[in-house]
Amino acid sequence: MPKPAPRNRRRDLLTAFAQLVNEHGVRAATLDAVADAAQVSKGGLLYHFRDRDALVAGLCDHFTELVEEDIAEQLDSGMSAPDWYLSTSADYDSPLETAMAALIQLVPAYEATIRPVLIAARERWFELVADELGDRDLATAVLLLGDGIAYNTELEGKSAPSPLVSEATRKFLSELINRAN
């Protein structure tokens, strides 16, 4: 029987931080609360992140890693970049979307740290979609459609999926993009 993968405490702490920010707000995500949520001692948290600023910087790095993992999954999937972007936009509780939502909430207090990271991620996806489509205006439309899907999915929640974000709608959008291209 294979051994289970070792626990990645740093990732656990960043995941707990993002979840606390998303579920209880920025102010509730104290160092003590993050340590408790990740089931580590405060000393264990401080070993990885000396203060809240380091935790925010770590979440930025973690988000960038998740974006790169998402892109690698897209490349391995055989799906086009536009189709991947649209279809995964509805997965608002994925680690990537969870990290992004937390960063967006943290922007007012950490704008100089976070905004460039969010913009770089958007630009990374934009370039992949634009390169594949060969049309920067159409790539902009794909990203905006994906953002709209993400917004509506979060608004409606998973318990009552909206027809605005159904598989049929995403297929229609994909066909529309292919015709426009």
Side-chain angles (χ1 to χ4, degrees), residues 18-170:
Q19 288 173 337
L20 282 167
V21 168
N22 291 333
E23 293 170 14
H24 303 289
V26 173
R27 294 175 70 142
T30 64
L31 295 179
D32 287 327
V34 171
D36 287 345
Q39 298 178 333
V40 301
S41 67
K42 188 168 181 184
L45 177 134
L46 294 172
Y47 172 80
H48 293 284
F49 305 103
R50 71 183 176 284
D51 56 23
R52 188 180 178 104
D53 291 347
L55 197 56
V56 170
L59 186 58
C60 287
D61 292 342
H62 179 58
F63 172 71
T64 300
E65 291 166 7
L66 291 169
V67 168
E68 291 306 317
E69 289 172 14
D70 193 46
I71 290 168
E73 283 183 51
Q74 180 268 316
L75 294 171
D76 289 343
S77 75
M79 289 177 73
S80 70
D83 285 345
W84 180 271
Y85 192 83
L86 292 175
S87 67
T88 60
S89 291
D91 190 10
Y92 72 87
D93 58 356
S94 72
L96 173 63
E97 297 297 334
T98 299
M100 184 169 66
L103 288 173
I104 289 168
Q105 288 191 63
L106 289 159
V107 164
Y110 297 93
E111 184 161 348
T113 301
I114 295 171
R115 193 169 302 278
V117 171
L118 294 172
I119 290 170
R122 183 191 61 206
E123 290 301 314
R124 182 83 167 93
W125 267 110
F126 176 79
E127 291 304 326
L128 285 171
V129 172
D131 287 350
E132 191 162 318
L133 294 175
D135 183 330
R136 296 180 80 72
D137 292 332
L138 187 55
T140 298
V142 168
L143 266 60
L144 291 173
L145 287 167
D147 294 346
I149 289 169
Y151 170 80
N152 281 285
T153 300
E154 191 159 351
L155 180 68
E156 297 288 334
K158 296 249 185 214
S159 60
S162 166
L164 294 174
V165 295
S166 70
E167 184 61 33
T169 301
R170 286 193 300 274

